[in-house]
Amino acid sequence: MRRKKRNNQTVMYMQSGFMTFKRRVDIPMWHHDHIKKAANILREYADRIEAVTGSNSMRNADKTLYAQGLIREMNKDMGRMTPKDPRERGTELLRYTEHHGLVDERGFDELNARDDLNE
């Protein structure tokens, strides 16, 4: 009797779209308030992810799936960080500068208008 070869659980999660090889986090860092807020969020989620590694009730594939979910949740928390990005999504204002090449200057006028960024 032939046995059908089963994929391991991690491969099954990846084939079904639950997991990917990498997760990325976009951290806004254009305002001085973002430094402390980002550090707090990173510290909180680092502790939560480390607690996943010590769990005895989950398989390794489930641990990685849960950790990726925590990273997605962290990315959402970073996106809600204030002050918000003044730029509209999907727009560009590309200008060629002699020293830096092609630069997206979208949002620079809004940042120049903020008094809390002046030192």
Side-chain angles (χ1 to χ4, degrees):
M1 185 178 206
R2 290 181 91 184
R3 292 181 126 181
K4 183 178 177 184
K5 183 179 177 184
R6 278 187 47 206
N7 290 336
N8 65 28
Q9 194 66 34
T10 303
V11 173
M12 289 171 47
Y13 283 156
M14 293 179 118
Q15 287 175 339
S16 62
F18 291 132
M19 283 178 52
T20 62
F21 278 104
K22 298 179 187 179
R23 286 287 174 207
R24 294 185 175 96
V25 179
D26 291 328
I27 304 173
M29 197 58 66
W30 57 269
H31 194 273
H32 54 85
D33 289 343
H34 291 153
I35 299 168
K36 182 73 172 168
K37 292 176 182 179
N40 290 338
I41 291 171
L42 288 169
R43 191 174 298 111
E44 174 194 346
Y45 280 95
D47 293 340
R48 290 174 68 182
I49 290 171
E50 190 164 356
V52 170
T53 61
S55 173
N56 292 331
S57 63
M58 290 190 277
R59 298 177 294 191
N60 288 335
D62 294 332
K63 289 179 185 180
T64 54
L65 180 65
Y66 186 68
Q68 285 194 12
L70 288 173
I71 293 170
R72 278 194 300 269
E73 189 178 330
M74 178 174 45
N75 196 27
K76 287 180 187 176
D77 285 352
M78 292 287 187
R80 287 191 292 261
M81 197 182 314
T82 57
K84 291 283 191 185
D85 191 348
R87 303 173 298 175
E88 288 186 35
R89 186 177 170 99
T91 60
E92 292 180 335
L93 181 58
L94 298 175
R95 294 218 172 104
Y96 183 80
T97 61
E98 193 171 316
H99 298 289
H100 301 291
L102 193 62
V103 177
D104 184 8
E105 293 184 351
R106 174 179 58 125
F108 287 0
D109 295 333
E110 291 87 350
L111 294 181
N112 279 327
R114 292 181 67 104
D115 291 332
D116 60 342
L117 295 177
N118 296 335
E119 291 191 22

